[in-house]
Amino acid sequence: MTAARTINFTLNGRAVSAEVKPHHNLIEVLQGQFALTGARESCGQGLCGCCTVLLDGKPVSGCLTLAVFVEGAEITTIENLGGSGDLDPVQQAFIEAGAFQCGYCTPGFILMTKTLLARQPQPSDDEIKDYLSGNLCRCAAYPEIVNAVKLAARKNKTG
Amino acid sequence: MTPFELIEPATLKDAIAAIDPDDPSVRPIAGGTALMLMMKAGVFQPRRLISLRKLDGIAGIAATPSGELTIGALTPLSMIEHSPEVARHSPVIPRIMVRLSNVRVRNVATIGGALAHGDPHMDLPPVAIALGARVHIVGSQGERELAVEDLLTGYYETALKPNELIASLHIPAQGKTRAAYFKVTAGAADDWPALGVAVAIEGDGEAIKSARVVVSAATPKATRLASVEKLLAGATIDDKTLKAAGDAAAKEAEILSDVRGSAAYKRELLRVYVGRAVRAAANGDER
Amino acid sequence: MTAPVTGKQIGRSLPRLEARAKVSGRAEYTHILRLPGMLTCKIFRSTVPHGRIKSIDIAAARKVPRVYAVYTGDDIRKVIPDPYYGPAFHDQPILALNKVHYVGEPVAAVLAEDPHIADQAVQLIAAEYEELPAVFDELEAADNKVLVHQELKPATTFADLKHLKGVKGTNCALDFKLRRGDADKAFASAAHVFEHTFKTQRVLHLAFEPFASIADYKDDGVTIYTASQSPSFVRTEIARLLGWPENRVRVKVPFLGGGYGGKLYIKLEAMAVALSMLARRPVKVALTMDEVFYTITKHPSTFRIKTGVDKNGKIVARKCDVWWNGGAYADVGPRVTQKSGFTASGPYDIDNVAIDSYALYTNLPPAGALRGFGIPQLVWAYESHTDMIARALGRDPLDFRKQNLLRDGRPHATGTILKDVAIEKVLDTIAERLDWERPFDRGSGTVKRGRGLAVGLKAVISPTTSVAIVNVAGDGSCTVYCSTIDMGQGSDTAMAQIVGEVLNMAAETIRIVPRDTDVTPYDMGTLGSRSLFHMGHAVRLAAEEAKAKIAQLAREVGEPEGSNIPLAELFAKKFGMQAGNIVGTGTYKPDYVPPDPATGQTSNATPFWMVAGSGVEVEIDTETGQLRVTRLVNVADVGRPINPKIVETQLSGASLMQLGFTLFEKMHFDGGQVTNASLADYKIPGIHDVPAVMENEAVEAYQSNGPFGAKGVGELATFGVSPAIANAIEDAVGVRLTELPLTAEAVFRALRAKDNRPLGDE
């Protein structure tokens, strides 16, 4: 059972399958087999959030997720946001607030923001910081990121 | 990572049977966050991993009318964080969850995995000890119960035998017990703590009937401070008592140096934070 | 000088051009790039800080199934006979040869298609070393008792290093001297003399995209995909190593997932090229985050500073001795030593200055350029020191600084007359935002509060060259070709704004072509906050040339002057259809006069100076030493901001990065081995570390020789953060910390020492 096995799961709304070995993590499979590079392995320890993907709607660290563990699950990546040509309101808010610089950590922050607003549509500053405390930004765009979340929440409110 | 074999048993019995007690390169994996770190660092190179993820009936939270909680070992920390039962009967737990690791880890890490790892820096074990919690263990030789303080035996060491698994955590009804936990970080605000102090007091207002005081992170394992508990039993919360409690804690605890601080400094932190934790518990502060 | 009225692009806070790509996860970065047929490389590294290589056993590694090859330094020599590189010294081998000089130095390389297999094979490599004595501290290294290298090997491209060729018996790669007036004489007659020593620790950039390079070598050319801030340097240096003309080396750079000065000169490019030459296949060398700790870091420093003050409070003399801990290879350390070294006396008007700045080799990971380029270490010392002097003299720290501040028209310590330096304005603005004139409540209980400020100065590196091309197509759309790298500082957007201003086009319609040295012309490098000024001028000149050619074309086709005919129509008139291009080129190299080697004096040290400072309020829990910065104010002179929003985020981001370096970041070593090489144990600022109140301001200013009055911003807000905090700590609790980082434990120990109850060690 060190041999490759086929896993079947839903990726960004489509049923897919992949041949993986038990020691492969989800990020290398998403990048290597599906050309999805929005989730990136950086710290390799689940601390920076660059590898954030949604597993059954919940944010997880892709770099700490064995690919075999997503059998039967729904995986959503940053590439699933927005329609054709349109940006998701959270993505739009990040642009308006200037909430990124080099952009490497940005997809992770955006996915986390989406799940935060789904759980708590009008989060307080403290709630925003607590929820995003597990996402790091070396460019330190934190003040702008907090503004982006608040902007997105405001837009949700006014519709 | 080096390749390994992965098996996914359907029952707890099968999982236990799959563990080879003489082969430390065969281990169970639950949420996997802690184990993945060790595997990626090359510190642990498994020959075989036994996934516990398909086991039935080992996740979930149940409460009795009196407020006793039973939490299945495979319950993700996020489920515990958002559980109305836990909030009602052990409100200190959701309070500390907010700063426990991060949201992504909490979505995946399990309570059983957290306890079985024996990592002295974790936040839940000292709190569990302060609340008088016990674990239910299942093994190839049968079942047994252990107080969490007896489960943790040393630095990344537990009393679990190789072919034993934690099945559930039991938190006794807390009644009017008030609890608090201080996670003292030395550098960045979000970090493994340099020092953890968990306190649960029984009593009324400033009068303490009895207390459970636990130190963690700065010590090889989460440890109850017997001399502090003795001092607080029957005492009144005032500056004099808390200073004495802090001094007793500083004298009793076995403190380690690391990148987060020298042993001498952490001892001083403990001296101060024991009192702060007792006060916070008494006041029902948001800790 | 007041700013002339301009058109519509300069001063717009428009969103970054690449915004959509970044928020949708589609922006390209080298670390996540794959090429068909590519092999991955995993590196076997030295476990001793200094040693002669006795043997490297790769036999077991080669036998691992599906390992493609295993190579050592001897293999590299077969394809590149002299495999040493570096911007100042050609001292760094692609893979270690004969000796290793630091723990983590690359010794062997395994190639495989599957990185897991390469990893497994690396673990089967064994090396034997004859260990040699090692030196880790910069002051010890300066004694030259233990030597890191037998002989210095300066890169002959740098005229001022030639005299060091073949020098033996020293760890000092460069010693820079500045002498102005007679400091010793002035000290002798000064009313007060103060001397203090300050230290900084080893930290690193830790860009979230680790270093990555992919080389695709063919016999007639090599293409290198790399995360680099200096593609032109990569091209020239690889060409030099291969003995090729430049035009056979192609360097392609997408976005960088962070740079901060780390991704400069040669990092993995030479290794990738050599391995691709050996393997005859594309080779990707991409590090994991722990390996980043063994690649490039920031210079720790010891700065002994002595100041003489007359009876009226005027500073009459300053002597600066700075030792820079450069690690095992020089990288750009000698530049830091000299180009930052000459600002060591600070933004103060002092007649008698002596500076000695030494670049030292040690057996630790190399140090190089990190946002600030040595300036933060210098400001840490001189602004702490200046504050201490003020307090010792019973003077207000703001007032004392203002009495001694340098102003426009006055000579800097280098002798260069200052121009367009809003130092006083920056200082006054910080003070204003801190309400400095109002009494400040320092707290009466166990929680004490304090405030502090600091201001610093940097000269942009000179002389450097930037070249740009502007291309207007047959439909009037515009493309810009320049090798400046956008690593998040918004350079693409700024260049588009400048070109748009000249050509009267909206910036967002302008395309900045991806960096490719086959296409984008020479640029010295994206570093030291130089790009907005130098490349800004180059693109401006290119756009102006294009504009002149457009006017010429209009005349050719008989259009009246100022007819404002749409460009597409103009082209159609000329070519009969949508066809043709108008191309403009711009080259910019500012004037410069090299410093006198004996005195460091020059009439033209730099085309522009950077001025910035910070003010902070802190809260200290005196029972534990725990410190919180409750307010952080960053003020800078950036000339006229091209994009005010981006300027603000650059000030904010730089100051927060420096906050980490100030309060908790530190690489820990045990016998030369890094012991905290991961994000779990090397903490960087997170969202909860941002001070509750942050203010960032660019004062109103105009750089008269800058493009549209602008100058650089990227590094500015790193200057004053560290000393402002130390000054605030002294203000709050009366203790002075002279070493970074300013941890809770350091504060606690200082408080206990002050109380005569020093905390021992267990």
Side-chain angles (χ1 to χ4, degrees):
Chain A
M1 272 143 289
T2 58
R5 65 169 80 172
T6 305
I7 54 170
N8 297 289
F9 59 104
T10 308
L11 177 58
N12 292 334
R14 287 175 202 271
V16 300
S17 64
E19 217 178 79
V20 303
K21 293 207 169 169
H23 65 281
H24 290 158
N25 76 39
L26 183 58
I27 298 301
E28 58 191 302
V29 171
L30 290 175
Q31 290 187 357
Q33 299 193 39
F34 295 97
L36 294 169
T37 55
R40 300 125 188 186
E41 176 155 354
S42 176
C43 75
Q45 298 177 309
L47 295 170
C48 66
C50 293
C51 69
T52 305
V53 297
L54 303 185
L55 192 155
D56 293 334
K58 300 199 188 86
V60 299
S61 299
C63 79
L64 295 183
T65 305
L66 293 176
V68 291
F69 287 166
V70 311
E71 168 74 44
E74 267 187 48
I75 300 294
T76 312
T77 69
I78 186 71
E79 288 86 351
N80 198 48
L81 262 58
S84 42
D86 288 326
L87 289 174
D88 182 279
V90 171
Q91 291 172 310
Q92 192 57 46
F94 268 66
I95 293 178
E96 275 176 51
F100 51 89
Q101 296 184 21
C102 82
Y104 212 67
C105 70
T106 308
F109 269 103
I110 290 174
L111 286 175
M112 295 294 294
T113 300
K114 280 207 71 73
T115 56
L116 167 63
L117 295 179
R119 171 184 285 284
Q120 173 53 282
Q122 300 298 319
S124 66
D125 278 18
D126 279 343
E127 282 171 324
I128 294 172
K129 289 183 206 168
D130 284 342
Y131 198 83
L132 296 181
S133 64
N135 287 64
L136 299 174
C137 174
R138 194 43 164 164
C139 299
Y142 300 116
E144 295 77 43
I145 290 168
V146 172
N147 289 342
V149 178
K150 285 154 74 162
L151 185 61
R154 260 203 309 279
K155 287 189 179 190
N156 280 345
K157 201 165 166 192
T158 56
Chain B
M1 293 206 302
T2 51
F4 51 82
E5 203 188 324
L6 180 77
I7 62 172
E8 296 173 285
T11 69
L12 194 53
K13 214 159 153 233
D14 288 341
I16 291 164
I19 305 172
D20 180 348
D22 299 316
D23 188 352
S25 77
V26 175
R27 275 177 82 148
I29 181 167
T33 50
L35 222 53
M36 282 293 279
L37 290 181
M38 291 169 65
M39 296 195 295
K40 291 171 85 170
V43 165
F44 172 56
Q45 297 191 346
R47 181 171 66 79
R48 176 191 304 151
L49 289 180
I50 300 156
S51 170
L52 304 179
R53 301 162 75 101
K54 297 205 163 138
L55 300 184
D56 241 336
I58 322 283
I61 302 167
T64 67
S66 64
E68 199 181 306
L69 288 168
T70 299
I71 306 177
L74 256 46
T75 309
L77 300 184
S78 56
M79 192 184 291
I80 300 172
E81 180 183 355
H82 298 294
S83 154
E85 284 86 15
V86 177
R88 187 178 316 127
H89 301 298
S90 261
V92 67
I93 291 180
R95 287 205 301 263
I96 69 150
M97 283 289 198
V98 173
R99 298 293 276 265
L100 190 157
S101 188
N102 62 54
V103 167
R104 293 184 306 283
V105 169
R106 301 202 293 273
N107 280 337
V108 164
T110 64
I111 183 70
L115 291 167
H117 200 49
D119 181 346
H121 308 95
M122 285 187 172
D123 301 317
L124 273 175
V127 172
I129 295 174
L131 300 178
R134 310 176 62 75
V135 286
H136 186 82
I137 298 167
V138 174
S140 58
Q141 315 292 17
E143 305 184 15
R144 60 188 180 122
E145 292 236 329
L146 268 185
V148 175
E149 70 205 77
D150 297 325
L151 169 70
L152 307 171
T153 54
Y155 191 73
Y156 290 88
E157 276 170 27
T158 68
L160 290 173
K161 299 204 194 64
N163 46 14
E164 281 186 315
L165 293 172
I166 296 173
S168 56
L169 175 74
H170 299 266
I171 305 177
Q174 296 298 304
K176 294 216 301 235
T177 302
R178 292 164 284 165
Y181 169 71
F182 270 71
K183 176 176 186 161
V184 185
T185 52
D190 286 293
D191 191 7
W192 290 113
L195 171 74
V197 181
V199 166
I201 55 179
E202 264 189 273
D204 255 305
E206 309 269 271
I208 304 177
K209 213 164 101 191
S210 69
R212 294 166 73 94
V213 179
V214 187
V215 61
S216 64
T219 47
K221 64 181 179 76
T223 311
R224 282 176 71 177
L225 294 168
S227 67
V228 181
E229 294 181 353
K230 188 156 173 233
L231 199 146
L232 290 175
T236 311
I237 298 175
D238 58 27
D239 284 349
K240 189 157 166 255
T241 306
L242 295 185
K243 181 177 183 321
D247 288 341
K251 193 157 174 229
E252 180 179 346
E254 182 198 340
I255 310 264
L256 303 172
S257 290
D258 67 8
V259 295
R260 289 171 180 84
S262 67
Y265 175 62
K266 290 188 209 173
R267 199 172 293 283
E268 297 310 308
L269 284 179
L270 178 60
R271 197 188 303 279
V272 171
Y273 274 97
V274 159
R276 292 185 182 185
V278 171
R279 268 240 160 75
N283 298 342
D285 277 351
E286 274 293 307
R287 278 284 147 204
Chain C
M1 178 178 168
T2 50
V5 173
T6 50
K8 295 166 235 101
Q9 302 311 304
I10 303 300
R12 285 183 64 197
S13 282
L14 88 152
R16 297 158 188 272
L17 298 187
E18 76 281 5
R20 272 190 100 93
K22 287 181 174 171
V23 298
S24 61
R26 292 182 168 90
E28 289 178 6
Y29 304 89
T30 311
H31 204 273
I32 53 180
L33 184 61
R34 285 160 196 253
L35 291 187
M38 182 179 92
L39 296 167
T40 28
C41 165
K42 290 292 176 182
I43 298 168
F44 171 77
R45 297 173 180 272
S46 169
T47 50
V48 306
H50 197 193
R52 231 175 297 278
I53 301 172
K54 280 161 61 179
S55 65
I56 307 170
D57 186 353
I58 60 173
R62 289 169 101 194
K63 291 207 194 80
V64 173
R66 291 171 50 216
V67 159
Y68 185 87
V70 182
Y71 298 120
T72 65
D74 287 337
D75 297 301
I76 304 286
R77 259 207 283 236
K78 292 181 193 144
V79 289
I80 299 180
D82 191 15
Y84 291 89
Y85 60 84
F89 286 76
H90 293 156
D91 59 356
Q92 196 160 4
I94 293 174
L95 288 176
L97 287 167
N98 308 318
K99 279 177 73 187
V100 291
H101 297 89
Y102 70 98
V103 176
E105 175 163 8
V107 172
V110 176
L111 299 183
E113 281 173 14
D114 181 344
H116 295 285
I117 289 186
D119 253 334
Q120 273 181 268
V122 165
Q123 293 185 43
L124 299 176
I125 299 177
E128 261 185 66
Y129 305 100
E130 178 204 331
E131 281 206 58
L132 299 168
V135 59
F136 306 123
D137 175 80
E138 58 271 18
L139 295 180
E140 264 182 60
D143 276 340
N144 294 324
K145 293 207 183 71
V146 171
L147 293 177
V148 177
H149 294 284
Q150 304 319 115
E151 189 180 308
L152 299 185
K153 295 186 191 148
T156 47
T157 39
F158 291 95
D160 56 339
L161 296 176
K162 283 210 183 104
H163 67 287
L164 292 169
K165 189 169 166 61
V167 171
K168 294 180 205 257
T170 181
N171 286 319
C172 183
L174 182 88
D175 102 57
F176 170 76
K177 252 186 206 358
L178 185 148
R179 299 284 184 271
R180 181 175 178 74
D182 186 339
D184 287 331
K185 184 153 168 246
F187 282 127
S189 58
H192 314 270
V193 175
F194 303 89
E195 184 170 341
H196 304 111
T197 301
F198 298 89
K199 282 173 138 15
T200 64
Q201 81 288 38
R202 195 170 292 265
V203 297
L204 79 168
H205 321 66
L206 219 54
F208 277 1
E209 179 203 19
F211 298 95
S213 299
I214 307 175
D216 188 359
Y217 177 88
K218 303 275 190 293
D219 287 327
D220 60 352
V222 61
T223 301
I224 305 163
Y225 307 80
T226 183
S228 171
Q229 297 165 230
S230 53
S232 302
F233 182 89
V234 172
R235 175 167 133 139
T236 56
E237 186 75 338
I238 296 294
R240 180 186 69 80
L241 285 169
L242 297 177
W244 281 2
E246 262 193 58
N247 65 359
R248 281 168 62 180
V249 178
R250 181 180 190 184
V251 183
K252 298 179 76 164
V253 182
F255 291 106
L256 299 191
Y260 324 112
K263 294 175 175 170
L264 276 172
Y265 307 115
I266 296 293
K267 291 292 162 292
L268 300 174
E269 295 84 358
M271 189 187 298
V273 168
L275 295 175
S276 182
M277 287 173 85
L278 288 164
R280 320 297 294 176
R281 279 175 65 167
V283 170
K284 178 178 186 181
V285 189
L287 303 189
T288 51
M289 191 170 261
D290 58 310
E291 294 182 281
V292 171
F293 288 77
Y294 303 123
T295 305
I296 192 76
T297 64
K298 179 175 184 167
H299 287 80
S301 63
T302 299
F303 185 168
R304 191 174 63 212
I305 180 167
K306 180 170 156 186
T307 298
V309 183
D310 74 13
K311 60 177 167 40
N312 298 318
K314 170 138 178 58
I315 298 176
V316 295
R318 186 162 268 181
K319 177 160 157 44
C320 306
D321 289 285
V322 192
W323 293 267
W324 305 90
N325 190 320
Y329 296 107
D331 198 82
V332 76
R335 285 278 157 273
V336 175
T337 304
Q338 178 197 69
K339 299 290 189 178
S340 290
F342 73 60
T343 68
S345 52
Y348 296 105
D349 202 331
I350 310 171
D351 290 333
N352 305 288
V353 176
I355 298 175
D356 284 283
S357 181
Y358 308 97
L360 278 329
Y361 280 114
T362 55
N363 291 110
L364 291 171
L370 192 157
R371 201 171 194 173
F373 203 70
I375 299 299
Q377 293 97 311
L378 296 173
V379 184
W380 160 242
Y382 66 65
E383 280 299 87
S384 295
H385 175 71
T386 298
D387 214 70
M388 290 166 80
I389 295 172
R391 285 170 193 279
L393 295 176
R395 293 284 303 277
D396 173 87
L398 171 67
D399 210 53
F400 179 69
R401 284 178 170 82
K402 288 184 68 143
Q403 179 184 359
N404 287 287
L405 217 55
L406 274 169
R407 291 168 173 83
D408 259 29
R410 290 290 300 155
H412 174 258
T414 50
T416 299
I417 305 293
L418 290 178
K419 188 168 157 49
D420 293 329
V421 285
I423 310 177
E424 185 159 25
K425 201 173 196 179
V426 165
L427 189 56
D428 283 340
T429 307
I430 296 169
E432 215 175 283
R433 283 180 171 273
L434 286 183
D435 271 325
W436 195 263
E437 300 308 319
R438 296 248 290 275
F440 183 75
D441 176 14
R442 289 180 176 77
S444 51
T446 56
V447 175
K448 292 280 191 290
R449 303 181 62 239
R451 60 187 182 178
L453 42 71
V455 66
L457 180 75
K458 177 177 177 176
V460 76
I461 205 148
S462 204
T464 66
T465 300
S466 291
V467 184
I469 298 168
V470 166
N471 183 345
V472 182
D475 64 349
S477 65
C478 177
T479 309
V480 177
Y481 304 77
C482 72
S483 290
T484 295
I485 303 297
D486 199 321
M487 48 185 171
Q489 84 284 38
S491 54
D492 280 7
T493 308
M495 299 308 153
Q497 287 182 257
I498 291 172
V499 171
E501 180 78 22
V502 172
L503 294 178
N504 200 26
M505 296 176 184
E508 49 269 65
T509 64
I510 295 173
R511 178 145 185 269
I512 315 291
V513 117
R515 268 28 47 116
D516 176 345
T517 59
D518 266 7
V519 164
T520 53
Y522 178 85
D523 176 59
M524 181 267 180
T526 307
L527 54 92
S529 309
R530 65 173 288 279
S531 301
L532 185 59
F533 184 91
H534 295 74
M535 188 56 79
H537 272 307
V539 302
R540 177 185 60 81
L541 290 166
E544 281 168 9
E545 181 172 283
K547 185 174 179 183
K549 287 185 177 180
I550 289 168
Q552 170 67 16
L553 178 58
R555 282 193 291 278
E556 263 177 46
V557 300
E559 277 296 314
E561 196 80 38
S563 75
N564 267 341
I565 174 175
L567 285 171
E569 271 180 50
L570 199 58
F571 279 101
K573 277 200 161 190
K574 164 86 181 181
F575 296 105
M577 54 185 282
Q578 181 177 336
N581 297 87
I582 280 184
V583 178
T585 320
T587 300
Y588 184 76
K589 175 174 179 278
D591 291 330
Y592 171 74
V593 175
D596 180 303
T599 61
Q601 299 297 297
T602 160
S603 57
N604 190 352
T606 183
F608 72 86
W609 299 86
M610 289 169 244
V611 180
S614 298
V616 303
E617 286 173 10
V618 303
E619 209 173 79
I620 299 177
D621 177 349
T622 57
E623 291 185 308
T624 62
Q626 287 169 301
L627 177 149
R628 259 185 346 129
V629 176
T630 51
R631 188 195 189 101
L632 173 59
V633 164
N634 305 305
V635 180
D637 168 8
V638 304
R640 187 233 242 115
I642 301 285
N643 185 318
K645 177 68 179 166
I646 290 183
V647 164
E648 193 191 330
T649 58
Q650 284 301 290
L651 292 177
S652 173
S655 73
L656 289 172
M657 190 170 196
Q658 190 65 28
L659 193 68
F661 296 148
T662 305
L663 296 180
F664 42 79
E665 291 188 43
K666 180 175 178 168
M667 283 174 70
H668 290 264
F669 291 89
D670 182 7
Q673 163 79 57
V674 183
T675 56
N676 63 335
S678 80
L679 255 194
D681 291 324
Y682 180 95
K683 306 309 293 184
I684 66 173
I687 207 165
H688 279 123
D689 295 300
V690 178
V693 177
M694 270 192 79
E695 298 170 27
N696 305 289
E697 179 176 339
V699 298
E700 194 158 321
Y702 191 83
Q703 184 67 29
S704 41
N705 65 341
F708 299 102
K711 59 183 169 181
V713 63
E715 297 168 294
L716 265 61
T718 64
F719 299 171
V721 175
S722 306
I725 294 176
N727 295 342
I729 293 172
E730 167 140 34
D731 190 54
V733 292
V735 300
R736 172 58 63 168
L737 298 179
T738 59
E739 289 190 33
L740 294 181
L742 308 175
T743 59
E745 178 164 352
V747 174
F748 184 83
R749 284 181 178 271
L751 285 169
R752 286 282 290 260
K754 179 166 182 271
D755 228 21
N756 277 321
R757 292 186 303 136
L759 185 69
D761 273 303
E762 300 194 357

